[in-house]
C-alpha cells in the first residue's frame, strides 16, 4: 500500500512539472526557489551554530568563575592604627 502511494505521488509530481501548459513555468520556479531555500537553510544553520557556541562559551565562563573563590578580606588593613 505504501509503495502504491509513493508511485502515485511520483506520478503526480511528474505530471505537475511536465504539464504542457504550465510545466515550463513551474520548472523555472523550482530552479529559482530550491537553491534559495537551501541557502536560507544553510544561513539559519550557521546562525544556530554561532548561538550555540556563544551559549557554550558563556556556560564555560560561569563554571570557571564558580570554581574560583574570592579571597577573604584581610583584617589587618581594616584595624585602626595607633598614632
Amino acid at each position: 500500500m505504501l509503495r502504491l502511494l509513493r508511485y502515485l505521488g511520483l506520478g503526480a509530481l511528474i505530471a505537475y512539472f511536465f504539464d504542457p501548459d504550465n510545466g515550463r513555468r513551474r520548472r523555472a520556479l523550482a530552479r529559482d526557489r530550491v537553491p534559495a531555500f537551501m541557502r536560507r537553510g544553510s544561513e539559519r544553520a550557521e546562525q544556530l551554530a554561532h548561538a550555540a557556541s556563544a551559549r557554550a562559551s558563556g556556560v564555560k565562563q560561569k563554571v570557571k568563575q564558580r570554581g574560583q573563590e574570592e579571597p577573604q578580606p584581610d583584617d589587618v588593613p581594616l584595624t585602626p592604627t595607633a598614632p
Side-chain angles (χ1 to χ4, degrees), residues 32-42:
D32 292 340
R33 289 184 179 180
V34 169
F37 177 77
M38 298 300 259
R39 194 171 37 253
R40 282 191 304 268
S42 174

Side-chain angles (χ1 to χ4, degrees), residues 55-66:
R55 184 172 294 193
S57 178
V59 169
K60 176 183 165 188
Q61 291 298 320
K62 283 182 181 180
V63 169
K64 186 187 283 187
Q65 290 295 326
R66 188 176 289 171

